[in-house]
Amino acid sequence: MTLVIGLTGGIASGKSTVSHMLKEYGIPVIDADQIARDVVEPGEKAYGAIVETFGHNVLNDDQTIDRKKLGAIVFANDNKRKQLNAIVHPAVREKMIRKRDALKETDVPCVVLDIPLLYESDLTHFVDKTIVVAVHEDVQLDRLMKRDHYDKTEAKQRIAAQMPIKEKAALADAVLDNNGTRAATREQLKDVLKKWGVFP
């Protein structure tokens, strides 16, 4: 029996750090963000739909999608964001499920689906257990501004586009407090995996 874990958290909460730790333990991680990038490559169905919906001005010179331009449009307009999600999300889900099922057939003890919008997109039925990586709001804002060079307004817009971390934590089977050191987060992760029988 393969245990399927959904990993989520807020933007800049340290989810990628935890995802990296899981990979170090040899646990396969299916990254929804990476798949979301793959499905909007030129030639993919979702790519055509984005160009049709948002126009050629969201493209780079090499005809790939300019994620920053598209981001500026959809984060400032709720309807446009919904339009984009309606194109990208089904394509991502389909690919993610195919990868998950292929791994389950190999009888691995555990597969992790790294999904930033696990709760917002109502995808908990894809997994058996959920882990939320949580940080304080001020830590999240600070990390996001440093990481992506956003000003405070841009950073707050992106945080506001997601469900608050507190709400996600209340829904999770396990919460990793990532306000401290990496080592402290790693210990918490190990404890959760032991409790769920992933580790002996």
Side-chain angles (χ1 to χ4, degrees):
M1 254 304 275
T2 302
L3 177 72
V4 182
I5 297 174
L7 175 69
T8 195
I11 188 169
S13 63
K15 190 174 54 56
S16 304
T17 305
V18 173
S19 179
H20 195 72
M21 289 172 187
L22 288 157
K23 287 176 193 162
E24 283 174 2
Y25 291 140
I27 295 168
V29 176
I30 299 168
D31 180 348
D33 273 350
Q34 183 53 56
I35 294 176
R37 280 192 283 275
D38 296 343
V39 300
V40 297
E41 286 291 316
E44 293 281 342
K45 202 166 72 184
Y47 171 88
I50 289 169
V51 176
E52 208 170 289
T53 308
F54 295 96
H56 287 270
N57 54 343
V58 297
L59 297 180
N60 292 308
D61 292 340
D62 65 358
Q63 298 303 297
T64 57
I65 286 168
D66 183 330
R67 293 170 69 84
K68 251 195 146 74
K69 264 190 202 161
L70 189 57
I73 294 168
V74 300
F75 280 108
N77 182 321
D78 225 30
N79 280 336
K80 298 241 184 268
R81 192 167 83 234
K82 285 183 180 133
Q83 275 182 304
L84 179 66
N85 289 347
I87 295 168
V88 177
H89 288 179
V92 172
R93 276 173 214 166
E94 193 187 313
K95 206 162 192 173
M96 212 161 45
I97 292 308
R98 276 209 309 269
K99 286 187 169 204
R100 180 199 68 182
D101 293 348
L103 281 161
K104 279 172 86 168
E105 277 174 24
T106 66
D107 277 336
V108 288
C110 177
V111 173
V112 173
L113 302 188
D114 177 342
I115 309 175
L117 302 177
L118 180 71
Y119 295 113
E120 291 91 333
S121 302
D122 212 10
L123 301 180
T124 49
H125 60 286
F126 284 177
V127 301
D128 305 312
K129 297 271 191 193
T130 57
I131 296 176
V132 165
V133 184
V135 287
H136 300 314
E137 278 169 35
D138 52 343
V139 175
Q140 185 184 19
L141 187 65
D142 190 51
R143 283 183 187 170
L144 183 57
M145 285 165 70
K146 280 197 181 104
R147 187 189 77 185
D148 293 352
H149 312 294
Y150 291 136
D151 62 33
K152 209 168 194 160
T153 310
E154 287 177 310
K156 282 187 160 171
Q157 258 185 350
R158 277 157 172 77
I159 290 170
Q162 297 184 343
M163 182 191 284
I165 291 182
K166 277 190 190 118
E167 286 179 34
K168 292 186 182 189
L171 296 167
D173 294 303
V175 179
L176 305 181
D177 175 345
N178 196 32
N179 288 298
T181 62
R182 279 173 93 106
T185 302
R186 187 184 287 274
E187 280 311 306
Q188 295 173 66
L189 178 63
K190 265 183 10 201
D191 288 346
V192 169
L193 294 173
K194 275 183 182 155
K195 194 172 88 183
W196 291 349
V198 177
F199 286 163

